[in-house]
DNA sequence: GTGATTCAGGATAACGTTTTCTTGCGGATG
DNA sequence: CATCCGCAAGAAAACGTTATCCTGAATCAC
């Protein structure tokens, strides 16, 4: 079943069938109708590979993430797919598994598939790799890394906005000792979030104590461990900001495991607003990083660049937003006094 | 950059280059080496679309799931991708969003992309749709639904095995009143899990009380609500089995919200063993449904069928396994007595 | 009425591979 | 020495579209 059979049945040339399928205005309404009829009768659907080969456009966007198992990503993937399908494109996602070697393979696969653009939502992309990509004049969009340039755009997360709001919220409640659980120091994203936190404290005139800064591993267990360390301190913080929700959940678990309660004894604030955060008990106060918004920016960037390849990329800025829920409250008085 | 340039540089024909790339044994070692050299020098990578068009094989498997946001799926997707990439294939995943109309579109997209096979891990697939797929002689594998046939296989989950183990575990601890939180009655998977539970109770000689069977929505909040209802009962169960982990987590939240504790006052058992279950507090005892195993079966089924299209599909059986963690313990004595 | 101008639609050459025939050629066989 | 065989490698025909030219008819201006 191919375009020729359709052409024969509709008594037109294959060119006309192709034009009809692609919605060209160079075909008379009644002819188009005849073609559509034939397509329906034969239950024809075009071969994407041939289309891509003929036109040079694959109608495919690549999405590179580190690990779909990280709860930050599923919503991003879903949003991106939804938007793409809406626009008649498809997506192909690849997990790098935080491994540069696999990242290289992912990129290669994208190139081989002749994607129309690729969204790189992970920081394992080394500069030489990014450059190699750039040489292919492939529309790209990075999250929080790289620089905009020819056909490559950039989504910047304004961490400070979110962290400032969170810290204000806590000081507003009366907290004066605020702890921070960071991700692994090696990660770029860790540095950005930590910096934003330190800046916020300084701005609010709160003293920074080194022992209140604990390193986690971006997972629940690391959050628990980091919280345990904070709990053993002589001068414990009364509130804790974790640099992602998973660690915040771990911190809550550690607190409860000690027979203490959130938010009675400690306030906890997360980061990301993964889906589960809204429904656990207590519901997590957190800094939302809208995955839908990220996906939308990424798509717009790729779409624009893939339709005009000599276009300069631009920068998109996304402001996180504080979502206040049940895990924050004023500190206990006896703590406050101490 | 195409195969011709490589051919010219290596002073061979395009056919030989193609053969070399595909590892044919019809090319002399030293010629192959020369070709590989040329490929490396030119930094050549083949065009997948042309390959697919020429050979009729896309090296692409489709994976249809309901919603990547459902924590059951990410691990399945990752495993499937890993296995596929290992074998030189790629995957393209589509979310149906539990919507039959979108499911139809997903199927169509798979057909257009000329996938070598499709794994349908969702139950929104209506029979006529499945039939339309079957007519294309496309290798398929279903999870828990449909029947094996020409080129279509089937993965069956042996719910009873897992549920029996869980119920035995609970009765072994001394529980005599066991509640059950099911998914929405409309779902096929709900029926299967519920039936397995009722069978297990009957087998263990435990009375079944209708009010101990509560319907949830497969999400955390539904689990909480269902648990609330169980807590208001005059004769509360002392243990609860939820038909997925999310609802079990919700149940734990509801129990804690009432000032009670798990497993001191209630034992809770989940189903699926999603990643988070191991690290929350208390860690969830649950019936593991290995996504890795499912992915592996699905891949094997597709791989076999796509390499020999006139092969009859087979049935794969997967036995869930009880993972005992911290959310189960003997019932409180005062409860037991009552 | 003549030439210019649209415009629908046909012919056909790409697109970059794979694959099926062929074709030499060197060596084994009788 | 003639013949056959095996085997590496080349020529060229698919594969199913899209896109670039063309063509011929109809419309229009003058």
């Amino acid at each position: 079943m191919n375009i020729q059979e359709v052409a024969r049945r509709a008594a037109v040339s294959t060119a006309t069938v192709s034009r009809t399928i692609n919605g060209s205005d160079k075909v008379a309404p009644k002819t188009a109708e005849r073609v559509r009829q034939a397509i329906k009768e034969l239950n024809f659907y075009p071969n994407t590979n041939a289309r891509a080969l003929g036109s040079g456009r694959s109608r495919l966007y690549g999405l590179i993430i580190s690990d779909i198992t990280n709860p930050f990503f599923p919503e991003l993937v879903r949003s991106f797919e939804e938007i793409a399908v809406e626009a008649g494109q498809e997506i192909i996602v690849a997990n790098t598994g935080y491994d540069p070697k696999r990242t290289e393979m992912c990129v290669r696969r994208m190139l081989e598939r002749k994607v129309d653009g690729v969204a790189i939502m992970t920081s394992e992309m080394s500069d030489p790799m990014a450059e190699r990509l750039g040489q292919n004049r492939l529309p790209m969009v990075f999250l929080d890394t790289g620089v905009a340039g020819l056909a490559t755009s950039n989504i910047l997360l304004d961490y400070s906005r979110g962290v400032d709001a969170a810290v204000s919220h806590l000081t507003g409640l009366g907290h004066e000792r605020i702890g921070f659980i960071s991700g692994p120091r090696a990660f770029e994203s860790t540095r950005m979030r930590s910096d934003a936190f330190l800046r916020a404290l300084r701005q609010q005139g709160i003293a920074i104590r080194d022992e209140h800064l604990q390193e986690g591993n971006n997972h629940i267990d690391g959050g628990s461990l980091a919280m345990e360390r904070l709990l053993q301190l002589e001068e414990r913080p009364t509130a804790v900001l974790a640099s992602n929700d998973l660690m915040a959940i771990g911190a809550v678990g550690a607190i409860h495991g000690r027979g203490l309660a959130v938010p009675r004894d400690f306030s906890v604030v997360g980061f990301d607003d993964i889906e589960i955060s809204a429904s656990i008990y207590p519901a997590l106060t957190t800094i939302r990083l809208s995955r839908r918004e990220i996906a939308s920016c990424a798509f717009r960037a790729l779409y624009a660049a893939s339709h005009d390849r000599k276009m300069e990329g631009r920068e998109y800025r996304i402001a996180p937003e504080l979502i206040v829920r049940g895990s924050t409250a004023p500190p206990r008085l006896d703590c406050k006094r101490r």
Side-chain angles (χ1 to χ4, degrees), chain A:
Chain A
M1 169 58 49
N2 56 23
I3 212 174
Q4 285 216 37
E5 292 190 41
V6 177
R8 203 174 315 144
R9 179 155 195 132
V12 295
S13 71
T14 62
T16 301
V17 177
S18 173
R19 280 194 272 254
T20 307
I21 290 173
N22 293 292
S24 158
D25 55 348
K26 294 286 171 204
V27 38
K30 67 179 199 307
T31 316
E33 189 44 52
R34 215 167 63 234
V35 172
R36 272 192 290 272
Q37 184 65 26
I39 287 175
K40 187 172 288 174
E41 282 168 16
L42 293 172
N43 195 13
F44 165 82
Y45 51 90
N47 179 324
T48 313
N49 294 307
R51 294 237 263 178
L53 189 58
S55 70
R57 290 196 47 218
S58 62
R59 291 151 196 270
L60 202 57
Y61 285 143
L63 177 58
I64 298 184
I65 62 178
S66 20
D67 180 8
I68 186 69
T69 262
N70 174 336
F72 180 78
F73 290 114
E75 207 188 321
L76 179 63
V77 173
R78 191 185 53 181
S79 298
F80 195 72
E81 184 191 326
E82 273 174 10
I83 300 173
V85 167
E86 190 79 22
Q89 296 271 145
E90 277 177 73
I91 72 166
I92 176 163
V93 355
N95 293 273
T96 66
Y98 305 98
D99 175 359
K101 195 157 186 103
R102 278 184 51 190
T103 305
E104 176 106 36
M105 291 303 301
C106 290
V107 167
R108 192 198 158 93
R109 276 155 49 199
M110 299 285 159
L111 254 24
E112 290 185 357
R113 288 261 169 227
K114 290 275 177 290
V115 294
D116 292 338
V118 52
I120 295 150
M121 304 277 133
T122 167
S123 43
E124 284 83 63
M125 182 66 52
S126 66
D127 284 349
M129 225 183 294
E131 227 167 276
R132 236 186 70 199
L133 270 178
Q135 285 173 356
N136 298 66
R137 304 178 136 262
L138 185 65
M140 292 187 289
V141 54
F142 290 89
L143 179 61
D144 243 5
T145 161
V147 282
L150 183 65
T152 110
S153 291
N154 224 294
I155 299 174
L156 268 23
L157 267 16
D158 189 353
Y159 292 110
S160 277
R161 274 283 269 289
V163 174
D164 285 353
V167 171
S168 298
H169 168 63
L170 290 173
T171 55
L173 289 171
H175 292 276
E176 288 166 0
R177 295 197 301 277
I178 304 178
F180 185 73
I181 302 178
S182 76
R185 293 209 206 291
F187 286 14
E188 175 72 5
S189 59
T190 294
R191 203 180 50 69
M192 295 215 244
R193 294 179 187 202
S194 299
D195 286 356
F197 176 71
L198 295 176
R199 248 193 331 267
L201 284 200
R202 223 170 289 128
Q203 239 168 50
Q204 307 258 340
I206 296 185
I208 296 169
R209 306 174 201 219
D210 275 355
E211 71 270 26
H212 282 182
L213 270 40
Q214 293 290 339
E215 181 174 357
N217 65 352
N218 277 352
H219 291 279
I220 293 181
D221 57 344
S224 296
L225 260 32
M227 190 68 217
E228 302 276 2
R229 291 195 295 272
L230 288 175
L231 287 170
Q232 276 156 19
L233 256 33
E234 203 153 308
E235 275 214 314
R236 297 169 171 173
T238 60
V240 174
L241 175 62
S243 84
N244 77 9
D245 280 357
L246 246 23
M247 291 195 298
I249 291 170
V252 171
I255 292 166
H256 284 157
R258 280 287 204 103
L260 299 165
V262 174
R264 194 192 60 196
D265 303 300
F266 286 93
S267 287
V268 175
V269 179
F271 207 118
D272 283 351
D273 192 25
I274 61 180
E275 213 176 15
I276 206 175
S277 299
S279 34
I280 54 173
Y281 182 85
L284 200 61
T285 293
T286 189
I287 301 166
R288 171 182 295 166
L289 226 47
S290 166
R291 259 80 84 229
R292 181 144 247 299
E293 216 171 319
I294 296 174
S296 163
C297 286
F299 182 81
R300 287 206 309 270
L302 293 184
Y303 196 82
S306 62
H307 284 261
D308 171 13
R309 298 234 170 173
K310 26 191 71 59
M311 193 166 131
E312 277 299 311
R314 50 168 284 206
E315 286 192 345
Y316 297 80
R317 239 163 248 282
I318 292 181
E321 173 194 11
L322 181 70
I323 307 291
V324 177
R325 289 197 278 245
S327 66
T328 46
R332 278 178 72 161
L333 286 185
D334 57 338
C335 286
K336 205 175 169 186
R337 289 271 168 71
R338 215 209 299 194

